[in-house]
Amino acid sequence: MFKPKHVYIEKEALDYTLGKELKKQFEDMQIPVDILESNRVNFLRGKSVQEKYEIGKRVLVIGVRRTLEFQSCKPSAHYQLPLVTGCIGKCEYCYLNTNLKDKPFTRIYVNLDHILKKAKRYTQTGKFKPTIFEGSATSDPVPVEPYTHALAKSIEFFAKDPNTRFRFVTKFTDIDDLLHLKHNGHTEMRFSINTDTVIESFEHGTPRAKQRIEAARKAIKAGYPVGFLIAPVFIYPNWKEDYLMLIKMLKDFLPNEESQHPITFEIISHRFTPTAKNHILQVFEESQLPTNEAERTYKYGQFGYGKYVYPKEVIAEIKELFEFGLKHLPFPYEIKYII
């Protein structure tokens, strides 16, 4: 369970019951609590980018979500569901390091009822049936779930509507409080996994692959649809052997008969933008991330800007490896995409 070193509460958040409850809870935990007069955050006083990053990763901001227009979320879902912003993890490659470079803290929202009502309106347009919402597009919501209960409320909310589906992905394993909920199979719980080499090198402050897979096993036993995000896939010495070993771990630790739904796989190769690379190297000065542009292909994406991706022949190798490895799994599965 994430225990922040400092909590900041937007003044407006205290108009909500959850805001008041959290203020008292953190004060009882003897964690410093400051009240912000607005949602403008300028309290990170570190002398360097690295110091601000480290301070921010131990900060929790409690606020009100003001923007209730949901962004699209391809290819994962139709819309983002903005439950949390930011993440306590310190993954070197994460795009949040760029998008939130001056705000590396985690922000939770107390007006969840408003957010869910807005989701209902998106569903009622009838544009998509079912309408799929992604709860982790800008965050990993699991570490702060004991404070927000946002996942639990969302799971039970979407369970009642046959025209909606909810999904989220996490690297963390504290999901026990979600296992007893009535979800009606409408929520897909996904786990981001990678080889131990990648986790040890780049995913600082996160559980090992085996622990994540064991959490997935619990979710399967609780009847949830479960998926795995294998991302980012890196090319390094012995990468093929390592990823095949990761697949073998899935085969060894997941139940063969108990899953009521096919296990889904989303496999994403490593890519980076020039902006992301520059900021990553400011935060992680000794980073060994493979970001040599000469070894990549520049490709424009759906949002109008480009990324450096692996060349086509490397992507073909990645596809071949995972299609070969996954076909040996003893349970039903579906590959959503390999990109």
Side-chain angles (χ1 to χ4, degrees), residues 45-300:
R45 304 298 185 186
K47 296 179 181 178
S48 65
V49 173
Q50 297 96 325
E51 190 175 347
K52 283 186 178 182
Y53 181 82
E54 290 297 329
I55 292 172
K57 286 296 180 178
R58 301 191 297 270
V59 163
L60 182 67
V61 176
I62 300 169
V64 176
R65 179 76 185 188
R66 291 166 175 80
T67 304
L68 292 179
E69 296 301 320
F70 295 178
Q71 296 186 27
S72 65
C73 197
K74 298 177 182 179
S76 174
H78 297 122
Y79 300 107
Q80 298 180 12
L81 187 73
L83 301 178
V84 179
T85 304
C87 177
I88 70 166
K90 301 177 184 179
C91 300
E92 293 186 18
Y93 53 76
C94 183
Y95 74 98
L96 292 178
N97 288 333
T98 302
N99 288 7
L100 303 173
K101 63 182 180 180
D102 297 320
K103 304 173 183 178
F105 49 82
T106 300
R107 189 196 297 264
I108 63 177
Y109 303 111
V110 295
N111 57 330
L112 180 60
D113 288 343
H114 295 160
I115 295 169
L116 293 177
K117 284 180 182 178
K118 186 66 176 183
K120 184 72 173 179
R121 291 176 191 165
Y122 276 98
T123 303
Q124 290 170 339
T125 64
K127 187 176 181 180
F128 305 105
K129 288 188 177 180
T131 305
I132 304 172
F133 295 91
E134 170 62 66
S136 53
T138 59
S139 67
D140 190 320
V142 168
V144 293
E145 177 64 11
Y147 307 123
T148 66
H149 309 294
L151 289 174
K153 291 179 181 177
S154 299
I155 289 168
E156 293 181 331
F157 177 84
F158 290 115
K160 299 173 184 176
D161 189 341
N163 294 316
T164 61
R165 296 293 184 271
F166 178 50
R167 60 203 316 251
F168 66 91
V169 63
T170 183
K171 287 185 172 76
F172 293 87
T173 58
D174 299 327
I175 60 160
D176 288 2
D177 288 345
L178 305 178
L179 299 179
H180 69 282
L181 301 176
K182 185 175 181 180
H183 54 77
N184 286 338
H186 290 186
T187 291
E188 183 181 23
M189 199 180 298
R190 291 133 66 223
F191 294 85
S192 176
I193 59 174
N194 221 310
T195 67
D196 284 335
T197 297
V198 171
I199 292 172
E200 291 170 4
S201 299
F202 306 126
E203 298 185 358
H204 313 300
T206 66
R208 299 291 292 267
K210 182 180 176 182
Q211 294 171 295
R212 303 180 201 181
I213 294 170
E214 288 173 343
R217 179 185 178 90
K218 292 180 182 179
I220 291 171
K221 287 179 173 291
Y224 280 94
V226 167
F228 291 96
L229 182 69
I230 304 179
V233 175
F234 287 98
I235 306 302
Y236 59 88
N238 300 318
W239 70 276
K240 290 185 177 181
E241 292 84 353
D242 280 3
Y243 281 105
L244 289 176
M245 186 63 67
L246 181 65
I247 294 172
K248 184 178 184 301
M249 199 181 300
L250 294 173
K251 180 180 178 182
D252 291 343
F253 287 99
L254 294 184
N256 295 342
E257 295 87 17
E258 294 184 45
S259 179
Q260 302 171 29
H261 313 272
I263 305 297
T264 63
F265 287 91
E266 299 161 89
I267 301 166
I268 305 174
S269 59
H270 179 241
R271 64 272 321 276
F272 63 92
T273 65
T275 301
K277 176 182 177 179
N278 290 338
H279 188 68
I280 286 166
L281 293 179
Q282 289 178 45
V283 176
F284 302 98
E285 292 183 310
E286 305 299 324
S287 177
Q288 298 300 308
L289 274 174
T291 55
N292 183 351
E293 290 90 342
E295 298 174 353
R296 302 295 184 103
T297 298
Y298 195 72
K299 180 179 179 180
Y300 281 98

